[in-house]
Amino acid sequence: MSNTPRWLYLVLLAVGVFAPLLLPQIASQLAFLWIMVVFALAWDIMGGRMGYNSFGNILFFGIGCYALAVFQRDLNWGGYWVALPLGLLFGGLLASLAAVFFGVGMLGLREKYFAVGTLGLGVAAGEIAASWGYIGAGGGLSTVLMPVAGNANVYWAYIAFAVAVLTFFALKRLYAGRIGLALGAIRDDEDKAEAMGLPTTRVKTLAWAVSAFPLGVAGGIVGNMQGFIDPRDIAFAGSTYGTWMILMAILGGRGTLWGPVLGAFVFQITKELFWVYLAEWQRIALGVLIVLIVVFFPRGILGWVRERWPQRFGQRVVEAA
Amino acid sequence: MDNLNLLFQAPVLSLGLVLDGVLIGAIFALAAFGLALVWGVMGIINVSQGEFVMLGGYVTYVLAKYGLHPLATIPIAAIVLWIVGWVLYRTIVYRIVGRDMFISLLATFGISQVLSQGMNLAFGASPVTVDAGMGTLFLFDGNLTISGIRLVAFALSIVIAVTLWLFLRRSRLGQSIRATAQNPRAARILGIDVDKVYAHTFALNAAICGAAGALVAMAVIVGPTLGLIYTLRAFLIGILGGLGSVLGSLVAGIGLGAAENLFGFLAGSELQQAFTFLLLVAILVVRNWRLQRHRKYLR
Amino acid sequence: MNAPESPLLEVVGVSKSFGGVHANENVSIRVNPGEIVGLIGPNGSGKTTLFNSIVGYHPVDGGKIQFAGKEITTLRVPEIARLGLLRTFQQTRVYKQMDCVQNLQISTPAAQMTTGSLFVRVPRPVTEKAEALLDFVGMSSKRYLLAGDLSFGQQKLLEFAMALMSEPKLLLLDEPTAGINPTLINGLIDRLRRANAEFGVTLLVIEHNMRVIMNLAQRLYCLAQGKILAEGAPETVRQDPRVIEAYLGGH
Ligand SMILES: Nc1ncnc2c1ncn2[C@@H]1O[C@H](COP(=O)(O)OP(=O)(O)OP(=O)(O)O)[C@@H](O)[C@H]1O
Ligand SMILES: [Mg+2]
């Protein structure tokens, strides 16, 4: 596909490596920046590449949140620094498992039915978590603090950066494979793909499981970073995180590799600015933003660029020799 | 499971639960019918449906504060929401009619965010209710209590539903709306101003929600974040009751109301919302499995 | 005619109605391995409906369908497709936002689509075959264009190539020459024959163009108002008075 200029990687690497050191006071925002990148990339697998708009991917994030916290609380194998990666992995796997489980029924739904069904699933998870005593029910669950002297957020910024980088390259690799084409086929015409014998159910399930994994990991990170998991406002926060995922992916450009990354950057920076100037009007402004983008700019930034200069995205517009 | 035993030992109690749900369910049916109307005519799933309902409830809340009798606020809530719907159509919704399902889903989702956050700012996060001063009915030596306002709300919901049905059958506008739902292109050729029909349909739906919201405010509660569940209920009822069927919506709405109440009593009221959401998911999935062998016609 | 050993496709007494419309009534056809069989009939006579019944789009009201000795009457589209029974659509269906090569790359036989293969790049031989097939249908110069930007006729050709790419045993073609420039039709007939002879694909073809079907098919079935009216050698069917009546009788 596209040939990304090397300097872009270098700049991002520099930001990821040096920013937390140079600006420790915004380390938590930096960590969230990378989490946002993961959010948008993960959503785009389904929403952008495959044309399945999930309104309930927050489910996987929430599962990851609780999975790590419970893992640390009840097992805590090998102390904090061993249990952390293990628990993150556990959260990711559990999220993928949930995707496979729910995928059996949900992935047979199309378009609006899938959208509304996933919306229901996401909020249902929040309600169930809020009444399940084992994970703290409505009162929430406190998580273990990172045993470091000084600013733990600097560490989180690095961990989140690593997860974002891994997600990015894993997806880049994935899209280059045959499944990238399969996703496109399902997006363009699922009935045709079925009629051609493409294993659509398997592809869809894989795609959902793949997108659930990084979300589960991200959930673990955010839950730990906040030190406290509220079932509705953090773990299954459909109206914030859940909405942002979608917004960032479409803002940057659905179905492109860099679109979600760009969308996450633009969004996170704008959001932080909104915080400062808009205070509690922020969320209203975000809603307005969704409407504006969707109505006037549905292809997003990179989608628009691709439309104008398709050649730059490896697509040929003239006839071949 | 103590509650289960209780249900069987005290049939009057279960009757009360079911009845309570039935009364509320009729209000759900109103919002569901509006959703189906917009869906059928404009091809849009209005994700902000529940927020319209909440907004209607807040209109009642505010007016009742200024001393108006809550029941008298119902038409006002409907009119206010009609205007809201009209304005939304003229600014946003007309741009998304006929476009990708993705666009209309997300755009109305964005609207729902704006509305719910706006209500949050204006009225605070905690839910409110309006006392209509209707008292309570005691039957069976006080074993069966029926809230008066719920009874009234039920009756009014039925009246509104029947009026709507008549309106769509008999009035010119209603006929234009139905013609457009069947075939917009043919309707256009017949000289129907389709854009205007859409505007009326969307505004009418908002007005229905406004009236429903006024009833919700009196019979239950309204809150800035409680809209979503009404949207999903409406969707569920629409699917169960058959899209666009007034009677079907009513039956499904009443059934859902009763089921929710019974479940809430059995499993605890914390899980009542989760029940509704999971029921939606389950019904979507089961319905889809059953449809699998009856796929759409492909050329 | 071929010895009727064991037919590749056997449809026995299939009926299908939509509400009051009897789209297919007691239809029986058989297609032997290696044959090219034609299916003709006036508009609305139920040809596409029969295709849909065969490939599993809807349940049939009655009757039995067997493919390669296996009963497929109640199987669904993906399962039937994986057995090697494919169809093309009257209204073309291609992956519009993907280019022609990609459309073919993702149309490999179902057996090759293992879970592992999904995660690796498209192997070279697959790409080569894709390009060769595009060349075969005369679309080589369009290979990097998005399928959605092609004309209707070009999409028909692409869809045909996609079907060949997945190496079906039996291919049902729904009006393959509709929308194709008349000067190219002879070339297309030739390609259909070559697909049959060289790739070993058995063909069942719906066609309105009499000249094409007389040229192409070894046997013909004629449907009218949902019933099989006549069958046999093309010449015989064409001269059958009932067929002439059905075509000229306006229905
Ligand atoms: N899903 C459906 N619902 C209702 N009626 C249908 C459906 N599918 C087909 N029909 C009807 O069945 C009859 C046969 O249609 P079919 O498409 O099979 O005809 P056809 O022979 O392919 O025609 P053509 O040559 O025009 O393509 C028609 O009267 C059509 O209207
Ligand atoms: Mg046909």
Side-chain angles (χ1 to χ4, degrees):
Chain A
M1 260 259 300
S2 55
N3 21 19
T4 313
R6 175 154 305 159
W7 60 262
L8 189 54
Y9 287 120
L10 291 177
V11 169
L12 287 176
L13 184 67
V15 172
V17 171
F18 296 114
L21 290 179
L22 297 176
L23 301 164
Q25 65 275 24
I26 60 159
S28 111
Q29 282 93 330
L30 279 168
F32 263 104
L33 172 66
W34 302 120
I35 295 291
M36 294 294 168
V37 170
V38 174
F39 278 175
L41 281 171
W43 188 83
D44 196 55
I45 301 171
M46 298 289 287
R49 299 278 167 167
M50 203 170 87
Y52 269 66
N53 298 296
S54 166
F55 284 66
N57 271 9
I58 190 71
L59 170 73
F60 308 123
F61 175 84
I63 289 176
C65 263
Y66 282 112
L68 175 62
V70 169
F71 189 84
Q72 289 168 325
R73 184 189 71 185
D74 294 352
L75 298 174
N76 203 29
W77 292 336
Y80 186 87
W81 291 108
V82 179
L84 178 67
L86 280 181
L88 286 175
L89 211 62
F90 172 62
L93 286 176
L94 209 60
S96 288
L97 214 64
V100 173
F101 176 78
F102 288 111
V104 172
M106 302 290 293
L107 288 170
L109 305 173
R110 303 264 177 103
E111 289 191 335
K112 47 195 172 274
Y113 297 101
F114 182 75
V116 173
T118 48
L119 186 60
L121 203 59
V123 269
E127 295 300 322
I128 290 171
S131 60
W132 189 10
Y134 177 63
I135 53 173
L141 186 63
S142 293
T143 56
V144 193
L145 291 181
M146 190 184 269
V148 290
N151 190 351
N153 286 337
V154 173
Y155 294 81
W156 287 121
Y158 283 117
I159 294 172
F161 176 61
V163 172
V165 169
L166 285 176
T167 307
F168 180 87
F169 284 106
L171 290 186
K172 189 176 155 97
R173 184 67 225 285
L174 192 76
Y175 294 150
R178 211 184 275 207
I179 198 171
L181 294 176
L183 295 176
I186 291 172
R187 173 200 58 209
D188 284 356
D189 191 338
E190 189 174 343
D191 287 323
K192 171 72 178 176
E194 258 181 14
M196 293 296 293
L198 196 73
T200 50
T201 310
R202 207 185 323 150
V203 170
K204 288 189 286 184
T205 313
L206 276 174
W208 219 17
V210 166
S211 87
F213 188 87
L215 287 176
V217 175
I221 295 175
V222 171
N224 254 233
M225 227 175 100
Q226 304 280 15
F228 176 75
I229 303 172
D230 182 275
R232 295 192 191 89
D233 288 340
I234 291 183
F236 299 103
S239 70
T240 52
Y241 299 149
T243 308
W244 298 346
M245 294 177 188
I246 307 169
L247 176 62
M248 292 183 294
I250 52 172
L251 172 62
R254 282 182 296 151
T256 62
L257 188 59
W258 283 101
V261 180
L262 180 63
F265 267 78
V266 174
F267 174 78
Q268 173 70 357
I269 292 167
T270 342
K271 179 169 77 71
E272 293 303 322
L273 290 179
F274 277 155
W275 259 138
V276 179
Y277 297 110
L278 290 173
E280 64 261 34
W281 287 86
Q282 185 209 30
R283 287 186 178 181
I284 298 185
L286 289 176
V288 173
L289 204 61
I290 295 184
V291 175
L292 291 182
I293 293 173
V294 169
V295 173
F296 294 105
F297 207 49
R299 291 182 187 284
I301 302 170
L302 282 191
W304 178 78
V305 174
R306 177 161 70 175
E307 202 157 78
R308 305 212 72 188
W309 295 284
Q311 308 89 314
R312 304 216 82 213
F313 287 76
Q315 183 185 312
R316 274 168 268 190
V317 284
V318 287
E319 299 194 356
Chain B
M1 287 292 100
D2 290 345
N3 284 352
L4 192 61
N5 290 331
L6 199 58
L7 266 192
F8 287 116
Q9 279 155 19
V12 182
L13 173 70
S14 30
L15 180 67
L17 278 171
V18 171
L19 208 59
D20 216 33
V22 164
L23 298 182
I24 301 294
I27 313 182
F28 298 167
L30 283 185
F33 185 69
L35 186 93
L37 189 68
V38 169
W39 186 348
V41 176
M42 306 168 68
I44 289 176
I45 308 289
N46 178 26
V47 182
S48 57
Q49 190 80 348
E51 276 71 24
F52 287 2
V53 174
M54 292 300 116
L55 207 55
Y58 277 114
V59 172
T60 293
Y61 172 70
V62 170
L63 292 177
K65 251 192 177 168
Y66 284 104
L68 223 61
H69 191 282
L71 286 179
T73 65
I74 298 174
I76 306 181
I79 292 169
V80 170
L81 264 288
W82 171 285
I83 297 169
V84 170
W86 185 276
V87 170
L88 279 175
Y89 180 81
R90 285 293 167 210
T91 50
I92 300 167
V93 178
Y94 83 93
R95 299 174 198 274
I96 61 178
V97 184
R99 286 172 74 182
D100 236 21
M101 181 53 73
F102 159 79
I103 292 177
S104 57
L105 277 171
L106 272 171
T108 53
F109 181 67
I111 294 173
S112 79
Q113 291 295 305
V114 175
L115 291 180
S116 79
Q117 298 299 340
M119 289 185 283
N120 193 5
L121 267 191
F123 307 108
S126 42
V128 298
T129 182
V130 177
D131 183 11
M134 305 289 295
T136 309
L137 241 65
F138 294 95
L139 301 174
F140 298 105
D141 309 325
N143 280 327
L144 179 61
T145 58
I146 302 173
S147 122
I149 180 61
R150 291 193 176 181
L151 212 54
V152 173
F154 177 78
L156 285 176
S157 300
I158 305 272
V159 169
I160 295 173
V162 171
T163 319
L164 266 174
W165 187 78
L166 285 175
F167 169 77
L168 286 177
R169 295 277 120 177
R170 299 285 155 81
S171 76
R172 264 195 81 73
L173 178 59
Q175 281 165 356
S176 309
I177 288 179
R178 290 193 306 136
T180 309
Q182 298 228 321
N183 189 340
R185 237 194 291 152
R188 203 168 272 135
I189 292 166
L190 289 175
I192 294 174
D193 183 348
V194 171
D195 180 59
K196 204 162 137 201
V197 167
Y198 286 157
H200 279 296
T201 307
F202 200 76
L204 177 64
N205 167 46
I208 299 171
C209 290
L215 296 174
V216 169
M218 291 179 261
V220 210
I221 50 171
V222 292
T225 57
L226 299 181
L228 179 63
I229 189 165
Y230 282 89
T231 304
L232 295 185
R233 272 183 192 132
F235 196 84
L236 177 56
I237 293 168
I239 286 174
L240 281 178
L243 289 171
S245 147
V246 175
L247 190 66
S249 296
L250 269 177
V251 172
I254 285 168
L256 177 66
E260 276 186 15
N261 252 12
L262 275 178
F263 183 87
F265 179 74
L266 290 175
S269 57
E270 325 81 73
L271 282 174
Q272 190 167 331
Q273 292 211 2
F275 167 75
T276 311
F277 298 133
L278 289 180
L279 187 67
L280 168 68
V281 172
I283 284 180
L284 282 176
V285 169
V286 169
R287 176 178 166 277
N288 186 58
W289 274 337
R290 289 188 35 204
L291 283 177
Q292 291 251 311
R293 277 305 276 177
H294 305 266
R295 288 172 169 281
K296 63 175 177 289
Y297 177 58
L298 297 165
R299 261 176 259 270
Chain C
M1 214 180 287
N2 301 19
E5 352 84 79
S6 62
L8 186 58
L9 175 75
E10 182 155 42
V11 176
V12 185
V14 161
S15 299
K16 175 73 192 171
S17 55
F18 300 100
V21 184
H22 297 285
N24 284 158
E25 265 185 274
N26 201 12
V27 172
S28 300
I29 65 172
R30 61 190 290 157
V31 179
N32 296 315
E35 265 189 315
I36 302 182
V37 176
L39 180 61
I40 60 170
N43 289 119
S45 55
K47 303 181 297 292
T48 302
T49 303
L50 183 62
F51 269 23
N52 281 333
S53 301
I54 294 173
V55 301
Y57 271 103
H58 47 221
V60 294
D61 300 339
K64 213 171 78 172
I65 305 168
Q66 277 198 330
F67 175 66
K70 188 171 160 43
E71 164 114 30
I72 59 168
T73 321
T74 56
L75 297 190
R76 296 201 205 111
V77 173
E79 294 153 351
I80 292 175
R82 266 168 237 149
L83 293 176
L85 200 176
L86 291 190
R87 61 90 63 91
T88 63
F89 293 86
Q90 187 170 354
Q91 244 60 51
T92 57
R93 287 181 153 229
V94 291
Y95 307 128
K96 294 203 159 116
Q97 293 179 56
M98 292 160 60
D99 69 31
C100 294
V101 176
Q102 290 173 328
N103 265 275
L104 290 197
Q105 283 174 328
I106 197 59
S107 301
T108 46
Q112 290 178 22
M113 289 281 184
T114 58
T115 304
S117 81
L118 285 171
F119 289 98
V120 296
R121 278 168 203 279
V122 177
R124 264 230 72 79
V126 170
T127 310
E128 275 159 16
K129 189 174 163 208
E131 307 217 324
L133 275 174
L134 279 172
D135 197 40
F136 177 73
V137 297
M139 298 256 302
S140 208
S141 63
K142 309 276 188 293
R143 61 183 181 271
Y144 297 120
L145 296 192
L146 295 189
D149 293 342
L150 299 175
S151 72
F152 180 72
Q154 290 169 336
Q155 290 187 4
K156 280 238 122 139
L157 293 172
L158 176 62
E159 212 189 359
F160 176 48
M162 287 163 75
L164 292 182
M165 186 77 191
S166 71
E167 299 170 10
K169 290 192 194 117
L170 172 61
L171 179 56
L172 313 187
L173 294 160
D174 202 340
E175 301 190 19
T177 66
I180 303 281
N181 178 340
T183 58
L184 294 181
I185 284 188
N186 283 340
L188 184 59
I189 296 177
D190 182 46
R191 287 186 186 110
L192 289 172
R193 277 223 197 83
R194 278 176 60 197
N196 177 252
E198 291 170 24
F199 306 146
V201 183
T202 306
L203 298 176
L204 176 59
V205 188
I206 294 179
E207 188 52 68
H208 279 300
N209 187 329
M210 272 300 185
R211 185 176 67 80
V212 171
I213 205 70
M214 300 306 289
N215 246 314
L216 185 64
Q218 295 148 8
R219 275 188 317 120
L220 273 190
Y221 286 94
C222 176
L223 266 177
Q225 297 185 28
K227 295 192 202 98
I228 293 283
L229 202 60
E231 63 170 290
E235 245 348 275
T236 336
V237 171
R238 190 168 70 157
Q239 278 158 14
D240 191 312
R242 288 168 305 172
V243 174
I244 296 170
E245 158 76 18
Y247 266 88
L248 297 181
H251 215 295

